Amino acid sequence: MTTAVLNFSAVRRRIRSAFAAYLFARTVRVAEQLILVPLLLSSWGAQSYGEWLALAALAGFAALANLGVGQAAAAEVILQSTRNEFSKASRVVVTSLVTIVASIAAGLVVLGVILALADLRALAGIGLDNMPTPVLLVIILAGATLITFLSEPLAGSLSAAQGAALPNAIAAVSKAIELVCIGFALRVGAGPLAVAGIMLAGATLNVTLHLVWALRRVAWLSLSLANFDLEFLTGIWRSAAGFFLIFVCVNILGVYMPRLLVSHSLGPVALATFSVLATYTKTARNLATMTSQATQVEIGRLWANGEAKSARQLVRGMLRNAILLAAVLLVAELVLAPWIIPRWTGGHIPLDWELMIALALVALLGCYFDGTLLAASALNQVGLISFGYATGLLLGIVGAAILLPWTGRLVTIGICLLLPEIGGALSGHRILGRMARQLGSK
C-alpha cells in the first residue's frame, strides 16, 4: 500500500511539472495568436492577411504526409520504457524517425509536382496579387509543418525518461524565439516570404533541441540505424492509422477546409473575420486542454504498470477539470469580446455574435473530446474516437459546402463545425466506458 501511495505521489508531482510546462507552452502559443494577428493585419492589411491565410491553408495539406507513425511511436515508447523494455523503445524511436524522414521527402516531392501542374490562384480561390512568389511561400510553409513531425518520437522518449515537462518546455522556447524573430522582422517591413522562412527556421530549431536533449537525458536511447525494425511498423499500423486519421481531421481538414470554404464563398475579408474569431474562442479550449495534456503521459505509465484504479481516477479528474475550466474561460471571453476584438484587430475585424456563440459551443464540446482523445492516445487506442470525429467532420464539411453559398452567413460554418465535436464527444464517451471496463478487469 505504501508503495502505491508513493508512486501516486510521484505521479502528481510529475503532473504538476508537466502542467507548468504546458502553461508556459500555451502562454507562448496564446501570445503567438494574440500578437501575430494584429501585427500581420497592421503590417499587411486585411486583404494580404486573407491571402496569406489561404496560402497557409494550402500548405497545411502537406501534413497529409504525416502517417501517424510519430504519435503512435511516442505513445509506444512510454509504454515500453515503463515496462523496462528499453531496447524495444530504442527500436521504436529509430524506426519512426526513418519512416518520418521518408514521408517528409515524399510529401515535398508530391507537393512540388502539384504546384508545378496546378493553378495556385484557382486552388486558393482568390487573387494573390499581394503575395510574392506564392509557390515558394507554400513550399516553405509546408516544410515548416513537415519538419515538426520529427520531434514526436523524440518528445516521447524524453517524456518516458524525464516526464512531459521537458519536451513541452523545449517546444515553447523554440516557438518563443520564432515569435520574437517574426515580431522584429515585421517591424522592419518583412514580407510573407521572410516570415515563412522564420517559421521554417523555428521548426528546425525545435527538432534540433529535442534531439540534443534526448541524447543527453535519455540514457537508454540508441539512434543507431541497426535499430530500424520493420516489425514495429507492421505491429502499430492500426494505431498509426487512427492517429493519422485524427491528425488529418483535427489539424488539416478541420482547420483548412472551413477556411477554404469561407474563402471561396465569401472572400478574403470574411475569411479574416472567421479566422480571428475562431482563434479567439479556441484560446479557451487550448488553455483548458492543458490539464488533459499534463495527465496524458501518466495515464500511459499507470496503465503499463497495471495501476488501474489510479489511472481511472486520473481520467475522471482530468475531464472534470478541463470542462469546468473551459466553461469559465469561454464565459469570460464572451463578456470581454466587445472590448478585446476591436482593440486586438485595430478595428479591422467586426464582431459577429452569431458566429462567436457557435464557435464557443464548438470549443466547449471540443474540450471534452480533447480529453477523451488524449486518454485514448496514452493507451494507443484511438480507432473508435478517430472514426467518430471523422464522420462528424465529413458531415460538417458537406453541409458547409452546400449551405454557406446559399445563406451567405458566417454563422453557417460555425454550426457545421459543431458536428465533428459532437461525433468525437459521443465516441469519446463510449471509449471511456470501454476503458473503464478494461481498467476494472486489471
Side-chain angles (χ1 to χ4, degrees):
M1 181 64 71
T2 303
T3 302
V5 172
L6 289 174
N7 284 343
F8 197 58
S9 176
V11 167
R12 288 179 172 175
R13 185 168 58 252
R14 288 194 297 267
I15 288 175
R16 286 194 294 266
S17 298
F19 182 82
Y22 273 111
L23 180 60
F24 174 43
R26 190 59 64 190
T27 300
V28 173
R29 285 290 185 179
V30 170
E32 178 187 23
Q33 294 168 348
L34 295 178
I35 293 172
L36 280 189
V37 170
L39 278 178
L40 294 175
L41 281 170
S42 62
S43 299
W44 300 343
Q47 180 73 26
S48 294
Y49 180 57
E51 293 178 6
W52 163 269
L53 291 175
L55 289 178
L58 291 175
F61 282 97
L64 287 169
N66 174 26
L67 304 177
V69 173
Q71 293 165 296
E76 190 65 23
V77 164
I78 294 170
L79 295 174
Q80 293 296 344
S81 63
T82 301
R83 300 180 181 121
N84 294 323
E85 296 285 354
F86 297 127
S87 61
K88 289 184 178 179
S90 285
R91 290 200 297 272
V92 169
V93 174
V94 171
T95 305
S96 61
L97 286 174
V98 172
T99 305
I100 292 169
V101 169
S103 67
I104 290 174
L108 289 176
V109 169
V110 172
L111 178 63
V113 171
I114 292 174
L115 293 176
L117 298 177
D119 183 354
L120 189 56
R121 287 172 172 80
L123 289 176
I126 55 177
L128 299 172
D129 299 330
N130 298 320
M131 290 292 110
T133 58
V135 172
L136 179 59
L137 186 62
V138 171
I139 291 176
I140 293 175
L141 290 173
T145 298
L146 291 171
I147 287 175
T148 304
F149 297 146
L150 289 169
S151 66
E152 292 175 344
L154 297 172
S157 64
L158 284 170
S159 296
Q162 303 288 327
L166 180 56
N168 283 285
I170 291 172
V173 169
S174 302
K175 180 57 67 174
I177 294 172
E178 175 188 318
L179 181 58
V180 170
C181 291
I182 290 174
F184 277 116
L186 289 174
R187 285 181 65 87
V188 299
L193 199 59
V195 172
I198 294 172
M199 290 180 173
L200 177 59
T204 304
L205 175 64
N206 177 44
V207 174
T208 302
L209 290 177
H210 272 89
L211 177 60
V212 170
W213 280 98
L215 291 174
R216 291 184 59 185
R217 293 295 187 92
V218 185
W220 48 261
L221 179 61
S222 170
L223 294 182
S224 170
L225 287 177
N227 284 323
F228 182 80
D229 186 2
L230 280 176
E231 185 179 350
F232 162 70
L233 291 178
T234 58
I236 58 95
W237 72 268
R238 290 185 180 179
S239 295
F243 280 112
F244 173 73
L245 179 59
I246 203 67
F247 176 86
V248 169
C249 290
V250 173
N251 297 296
I252 302 178
L253 298 179
V255 173
Y256 298 113
M257 281 303 298
R259 293 182 181 184
L260 292 176
L261 288 173
V262 171
S263 173
H264 275 271
S265 300
L266 304 179
V269 175
L271 173 59
T273 299
F274 168 73
S275 297
V276 166
L277 296 185
T279 298
Y280 179 73
T281 53
K282 194 174 182 180
T283 300
R285 175 178 180 175
N286 290 338
L287 289 171
T289 301
M290 288 190 304
T291 59
S292 303
Q293 291 171 322
T295 309
Q296 178 186 5
V297 170
E298 303 307 323
I299 293 173
R301 286 175 182 267
L302 293 171
W303 175 272
N305 275 331
E307 299 183 39
K309 183 178 180 180
S310 296
R312 184 185 301 177
Q313 290 174 348
L314 281 181
V315 172
R316 289 176 177 175
M318 173 188 74
L319 291 172
R320 180 183 64 250
N321 294 337
I323 293 170
L324 287 176
L325 182 56
V328 171
L329 292 173
L330 285 168
V331 170
E333 281 191 342
L334 292 174
V335 170
L336 296 173
W339 183 82
I340 292 178
I341 296 298
R343 289 165 176 79
W344 180 29
T345 63
H348 290 283
I349 302 299
L351 183 59
D352 187 327
W353 277 109
E354 291 180 334
L355 177 62
M356 178 80 74
I357 292 172
L359 291 175
L361 291 174
V362 170
L364 186 61
L365 281 171
C367 191
Y368 179 83
F369 162 71
D370 291 341
T372 57
L373 174 62
L374 288 166
S377 298
L379 311 182
N380 250 349
Q381 298 180 18
V382 296
L384 176 62
I385 198 167
S386 62
F387 176 78
Y389 189 90
T391 301
L393 181 61
L394 176 62
L395 294 175
I397 289 175
V398 171
I402 296 172
L403 296 176
L404 193 59
W406 179 57
T407 62
R409 297 170 63 185
L410 274 174
V411 68
T412 304
I413 195 71
I415 294 172
C416 290
L417 287 177
L418 283 168
L419 295 180
E421 307 299 342
I422 292 172
L426 290 176
S427 58
H429 181 74
R430 182 176 177 182
I431 204 170
L432 282 181
R434 187 171 70 184
M435 285 171 57
R437 291 191 295 271
Q438 289 176 331
L439 290 169
S441 64
K442 284 184 175 287

